[in-house]
Amino acid sequence: MEFPVYLGAASAFRMTFTKFETIPLEEDGMDVNYLEKKLDELNKNGLINRVKFIYTVPNFHNPAGVTMSLEKRKRLIEIAEKYDILILEDDPYGMLRFEGEHLPSLYKLAGPDRVVLLNTFSKILTPGLRIGIIVGRADIVRKATLAKQAADLCSPSLNQRIAARYLERYDLFEQLKPGIELYRKKKDVMIKALEENFADIKGAKWVNPQGGLFIWLTLPEGFDTMEMFEIAKEKKIYYIPGEAFTIDDGKSSSMRLSFCLPPEEKIVEGVKRLREVVEEYGKKKGLI
Ligand SMILES: *Cc1c(COP(=O)(O)O)cnc(C)c1O
């Protein structure tokens, strides 16, 4: 799994698996060299058969906000082929791109023998429907269907029909355009606010995402965003501490900020207050 780890996937995988290897994310996605090194090691130790799949969120990663470059997509596929490992491609945000060029999915590049593609209506229509999409080799999809039936006796057919009628009646891509424009504006407002409030904090950095719903903000070493959250709450600032995106509840100096819901003026005010939070915590801990 990529690190930081998407929480929902980690909890789902935990029901079956006990051991996870995390692969660091870089600005252009998964560190594929690290992945290859890790797999080489496992192979040398005779453990390669234990690797069930490689899980990735290639577009606007949740929470890290980064997107895997085309070059890395190709490298990842090569590595997966070398060791004959399936790739689980999770792409809830791919349609929420507000700038830059659309990149082909791993599924499109490598096909169903190598990649299982997951999608959802949650980020493009409504999360309340609880309808997901799986695209892949027939035998894998059949097994997933059985497992899902065993787990919850199938997603509500009413919800499935609502989603199906929606797709029949409306052009989903057209319907998404105003929303994407809205998110782009809000993202720009948050990035500008971060530049204004955090540029002078040495070691603070953030990812400017080309789509999705989140900005990943990392503070200098020593900050513990879980502990800092107490001060944030007092100032009515909410973020998701980076610790929530670790496998072992490890300390983190990062946090996930969401720009999709609050109106622009609240984003500006929020980032200003977040700066106050960071300053208060940083001074108390002798970090700044
Ligand atoms: C939101 C999200 C999903 C899917 O969420 P559901 O509501 O369960 O469909 C999957 N992967 C990632 C990375 C997400 O952020």
Side-chain angles (χ1 to χ4, degrees):
M1 302 179 81
E2 292 155 327
F3 185 85
V5 165
Y6 167 59
L7 208 60
S11 334
F13 299 154
R14 269 207 188 101
M15 296 206 270
T16 308
F17 304 111
T18 51
K19 193 158 171 22
F20 304 90
E21 291 289 347
T22 53
I23 312 297
L25 280 163
E26 300 175 305
E27 263 170 46
D28 56 350
M30 187 193 290
D31 183 344
V32 285
N33 290 329
Y34 185 98
L35 170 74
E36 188 168 33
K37 226 176 65 200
K38 225 35 282 161
L39 292 175
D40 282 344
E41 240 170 63
L42 289 167
N43 192 37
K44 273 197 208 100
N45 298 332
L47 294 169
I48 196 74
N49 289 337
R50 301 261 186 99
V51 182
K52 297 303 173 192
F53 53 81
I54 300 163
Y55 171 75
T56 175
V57 182
N59 295 313
F60 328 125
H61 184 275
N62 177 9
V66 297
T67 293
M68 197 188 293
S69 65
L70 181 59
E71 203 187 346
K72 279 197 172 172
R73 287 174 199 233
K74 291 179 177 161
R75 277 280 291 137
L76 172 59
I77 291 165
E78 272 173 25
I79 295 166
E81 303 213 309
K82 175 169 153 196
Y83 288 112
D84 195 17
I85 298 169
L86 273 176
I87 298 170
L88 188 54
E89 177 176 28
D90 190 11
D91 188 27
Y93 302 104
M95 284 171 77
L96 297 179
R97 179 181 275 284
F98 26 74
E99 56 203 37
E101 218 177 300
H102 173 79
L103 294 169
S105 64
L106 294 159
Y107 183 83
K108 190 159 188 178
L109 292 170
D113 285 332
R114 185 58 53 206
V115 183
V116 177
L117 174 62
L118 303 178
N119 215 313
T120 175
F121 283 98
S122 286
K123 313 294 161 43
I124 51 173
L125 187 56
T126 166
L129 280 179
R130 311 302 312 135
I131 306 283
I133 298 151
I134 179 168
V135 186
R137 221 170 62 202
D139 60 322
I140 295 174
V141 172
R142 208 172 299 124
K143 282 205 169 161
T145 309
L146 285 176
K148 177 148 171 59
Q149 278 173 4
D152 65 2
L153 297 175
C154 196
S155 298
S157 55
L158 177 61
N159 297 12
Q160 294 192 51
R161 281 166 188 243
I162 291 169
R165 291 302 167 272
Y166 183 89
L167 292 180
E168 276 168 24
R169 280 198 202 163
Y170 302 101
D171 181 341
L172 183 56
F173 290 98
E174 277 304 313
Q175 293 289 317
L176 276 175
K177 278 183 185 165
I180 291 171
E181 188 50 26
L182 185 74
Y183 291 154
R184 187 189 59 75
K185 273 206 203 119
K186 290 186 179 195
K187 187 272 288 178
D188 285 344
V189 168
M190 190 176 264
I191 290 288
K192 187 160 164 275
L194 285 168
E195 278 161 5
E196 284 167 7
N197 289 281
F198 284 85
D200 63 328
I201 297 183
K202 235 181 94 204
K205 52 183 194 289
W206 51 91
V207 173
N208 188 349
Q210 294 190 318
L213 307 174
F214 313 112
I215 289 175
W216 185 242
L217 170 64
T218 300
L219 296 173
E221 222 172 291
F223 275 82
D224 175 352
T225 52
M226 185 63 99
E227 194 177 59
M228 192 176 79
F229 195 57
E230 292 308 314
I231 301 174
K233 277 195 287 193
E234 283 165 23
K235 295 192 192 287
K236 296 209 159 42
I237 292 295
Y238 297 92
Y239 57 78
I240 312 265
E243 189 172 322
F245 306 100
T246 64
I247 290 281
D248 49 2
D249 294 335
K251 298 252 170 284
S252 169
S253 65
S254 299
M255 66 185 92
R256 193 187 76 179
L257 306 175
S258 171
F259 51 79
C260 57
L261 186 61
E264 291 183 15
E265 63 275 12
K266 283 206 173 172
I267 293 175
V268 172
E269 172 64 23
V271 173
K272 221 172 80 194
R273 277 197 226 169
L274 183 61
R275 160 77 203 216
E276 292 167 16
V277 171
V278 166
E279 217 162 287
E280 194 177 319
Y281 179 85
K283 286 211 174 110
K284 214 165 86 182
K285 293 267 161 182
L287 295 165
I288 51 174

